[in-house]
Amino acid sequence: MKKIVVLSGAGISAESGIQTFRDANGLWEGHDVALVATPEGWKKNPELVLEFYNQRRRQLLEVSPNEAHKILVELEKYFDIQIITQNVDDLHERAGSQKVIHLHGELLKVRSSNNPYFILDWKTDLKLSDTDKLGHPLRPHIVWFGEEVPAMQEAIQHTETADILIVIGTSLQVYPAAGLMHYTKPEIPIFYIDPNPLNSIKISNPLYIISKKGTEGMAILKEKLLKEYCT
């Protein structure tokens, strides 16, 4: 089986009804990123941060995977598929994807504010009174701006061994995730699916841009991949 690495971003989940966090003004759901997605914001106003993610968690539990997520699962019959997602939702897993790396954390998990390795599954609202066994407050299991991306090295290793790279639903403007494509072998094809693709991609790989939303773009790409690699 050829190995396909998929880098997915907010656009793949948008068709499920999950709003992309940042709008044109750089606000997340009307909030300054610095207030709800940084360690400094957490220290300054943890109640605001908790309510922001509680709202996102409630929203996530009301939506379902869309056809783009499902097509990636279908392709597992023919390819070794490794998902690397910037998304904090669990829609890839709910669709049935077997191998998913979350670069920016997971909304349905929380962790100790004192011990990053103390992680719990969490589907209800998180309150300041919720603590770990030593009494330290629990916080969203999210990689905030200014924090290290623990899964990055694993993501790089998979990208280096990919035979095909699919980039879907990402603006390619959030680093270090956006830099992953530069770790591919120079000869492998990169398929970029986005209704508003970034035009200034500087890369030597064969690049195929599909200017469609995730569901439509993955349907087109599925047909192309099966024709080229499985017939």
Side-chain angles (χ1 to χ4, degrees), residues 34-35 38-47 49 113 144 147:
L35 298 179
T38 64
E40 293 77 18
W42 169 250
K43 292 177 183 176
K44 182 177 180 180
N45 192 343
E47 291 93 345
V49 174
S113 57
W144 288 326
E147 294 184 322

Side-chain angles (χ1 to χ4, degrees), residues 59-76:
Q59 181 192 35
L60 173 55
L61 294 173
E62 294 175 353
V63 302
S64 301
N66 61 54
E67 197 61 27
H69 296 105
K70 295 174 184 176
I71 289 173
L72 287 171
V73 177
E74 293 171 13
L75 287 173
E76 290 188 4

